[in-house]
Amino acid sequence: MRDTAAEEREALVEAVRGFANAQLAPFAAERDAQKIFPIEALAAAGELGLGGIYVREEYGSGLSRLDAVAIFEELAKGDVAVAAYISIHNMTAWMIDTFGSVQQRERWLPGMVSMQQLGAYCLTEPGAGSDAAAITTSARREGDEYVLNGTKQFISGAGAASVYVVMARTGGPGPAGISTIVVEKDTPGLSFGPNEHKMGWNAQPTRQVIFEDVRVPVANRLSEEGDGFHIAMRGLNGGRVNIGACSIGGAQWALDRAIAYVQERHAFGAPLAANQSIVFTLADIATDIQAGRALLERAAAKMDSGASDTAVACALAKRFATDAAFDAANKALQLHGGYGYLHEYGIERVVRDLRVHQILEGTNEIMRTIIGRDLLRGGKR
């Protein structure tokens, strides 16, 4: 019996692979070295429907989270940093699609889905990273407007993005006082810090987003006051799976390069592949990649079905996939010897790009906390 869904997903992956091979992979080294944010390539991704992968079909592609896992893995084989930005952009578009009104969806989604307008997710602050409920950026209501003051830290796409989905405090302390407000680029009082000098992710800008008496209509708030923390956490469930898929894609790319290299490179009169320890290393890398992919697919299926343990499944998959992928890429670098350390081979770039995935979308220590606490509460085994 034909598996139509599997065939459609394979055709989709082939299309994304073609885009990654043409628009991302050939320029990844240059974009990393010169810190180029590829606006034109992102617009081309939008033409393929990659700006709203799981935005409902009225505006977006209407695909499943399981489809998204396959898409982000394929994109990351072309360029991890660009794929990761596309995943963040999709998270912001999904938040507007899911929690926005008809008018808000009409206003922002067409430009975001086409990636003519880029999105930025503004949660983290200089003094509030893992403790997201402690954010201090304020949104004081004055009549039909909110007045925002504060600073967001480590914001991907900042300065280049047009739509900023901002978590701000409209009420008292704790998660119940947080709301989600959309701020558009060029709003008076909105500014940006300098581009951060980072270990990796050089193909996307990372800057502070600064609010100084920024006035936006109350109509820019998603959902009700006090819903912001819930919206942010729902967004992060998907973000964690997406970034895990980007990690697996980068690791798979590194493994493919390592497999080719150890068969071509000779030492002591034989190819490196004749060394049993190298064969074992390749086997370990492949096993970890496949395990990470399976956990991500499991979490994606739970998101698609609305399972009660979705958040824990996403945390578990993100923790394993990002740790395993970084380790895999690092081993692939080691298998290349000194050549792995050279920019032209690309392995060191992937290692650098993957390292931050163990930190963002919730550090892996926080993922372990989520998993462990759920087990102690009697969660699903």
Side-chain angles (χ1 to χ4, degrees):
M1 184 179 295
R2 290 178 57 193
D3 187 341
T4 303
E7 290 178 358
E8 290 176 351
R9 184 171 297 115
E10 183 57 35
L12 177 67
V13 167
E14 284 292 334
V16 175
R17 182 177 296 131
F19 168 80
N21 288 339
Q23 299 271 3
L24 300 184
F27 312 104
E30 178 187 8
R31 289 167 179 161
D32 173 67
Q34 299 186 24
K35 297 180 172 58
I36 297 170
F37 190 43
I39 300 295
E40 292 183 0
L42 293 175
E47 292 177 3
L48 286 179
L50 300 180
I53 294 170
Y54 37 84
V55 168
R56 285 171 287 180
E57 288 185 352
E58 181 182 359
Y59 292 105
S61 297
L63 299 174
S64 70
R65 297 290 186 148
L66 200 57
D67 293 328
V69 166
I71 287 170
F72 285 117
E73 178 177 340
E74 209 59 47
L75 287 172
K77 292 176 186 176
D79 189 321
V80 171
V82 176
Y85 174 73
I86 295 174
S87 83
I88 294 167
H89 172 87
N90 270 269
M91 179 168 63
T92 61
W94 173 84
M95 293 167 77
I96 292 171
D97 184 46
T98 303
F99 298 102
S101 65
V102 171
Q103 293 77 15
Q104 290 168 335
R105 296 175 71 238
E106 288 176 350
R107 179 176 178 180
W108 291 306
L109 286 180
M112 294 183 74
V113 168
S114 68
M115 298 196 81
Q116 296 297 318
Q117 291 186 309
L118 302 178
Y121 177 75
C122 301
L123 175 63
T124 299
E125 297 181 359
S130 295
D131 186 7
I135 65 169
T136 60
T137 294
S138 63
R140 184 183 72 257
R141 184 161 180 172
E142 290 187 1
D144 292 332
E145 293 182 321
Y146 286 112
V147 183
L148 278 71
N149 282 282
T151 300
K152 296 296 183 178
Q153 183 76 31
F154 304 131
I155 306 305
S156 294
S162 300
V163 179
Y164 296 83
V165 179
V166 182
M167 311 307 144
R169 191 162 298 285
T170 53
I178 298 171
S179 299
T180 302
I181 299 168
V182 178
V183 179
E184 295 178 316
K185 187 178 183 182
D186 298 327
T187 302
L190 177 66
S191 63
F192 308 96
N195 199 3
E196 302 285 1
H197 297 283
K198 308 185 296 287
M199 175 180 174
W201 268 27
N202 290 322
Q204 56 165 287
T206 303
R207 303 167 70 179
Q208 285 187 334
V209 178
I210 302 164
F211 305 93
E212 296 177 298
D213 291 330
V214 173
R215 291 181 173 270
V216 297
V218 170
N220 283 24
R221 186 191 68 225
L222 299 182
S223 191
E224 302 299 323
E225 278 199 1
D227 287 349
F229 189 78
H230 168 72
I231 293 171
M233 294 303 105
R234 284 279 306 277
L236 283 176
N237 284 340
R240 288 164 182 165
V241 171
N242 292 348
I243 213 67
C246 290
S247 293
I248 293 299
Q252 184 66 60
W253 181 90
L255 173 60
D256 293 344
R257 296 306 179 279
I259 291 170
Y261 182 81
V262 300
Q263 293 179 87
E264 296 166 359
R265 175 74 170 174
H266 282 66
F268 305 106
L272 294 179
N275 188 314
Q276 189 177 57
S277 69
I278 288 177
V279 173
F280 284 177
T281 297
L282 293 174
D284 289 344
I285 293 173
T287 301
D288 285 347
I289 288 174
Q290 292 202 35
R293 185 181 293 121
L295 286 171
L296 291 166
E297 290 173 348
R298 171 180 175 269
K302 286 181 179 291
M303 277 193 289
D304 285 331
S305 67
S308 61
D309 61 339
T310 292
V312 177
C314 292
L316 193 153
K318 189 266 182 184
R319 201 290 298 166
F320 184 87
T322 56
D323 281 349
F326 175 76
D327 184 58
N330 197 40
K331 287 177 178 175
L333 188 155
Q334 188 73 15
L335 290 175
H336 279 76
Y339 292 103
Y341 207 63
L342 299 182
H343 186 261
E344 65 190 90
Y345 279 74
I347 302 293
E348 59 84 32
R349 169 177 49 82
V350 170
V351 171
R352 288 186 287 106
D353 285 344
L354 291 184
R355 181 60 183 87
V356 75
H357 295 191
Q358 296 168 289
I359 298 171
L360 56 82
E361 312 291 35
T363 66
N364 283 1
E365 288 76 15
I366 293 296
M367 299 303 98
R368 292 163 72 188
T369 299
I370 292 169
I371 298 161
R373 287 178 176 173
D374 182 71
L375 290 172
L376 292 173
R377 287 194 299 264
K380 294 179 181 179
R381 304 295 196 269

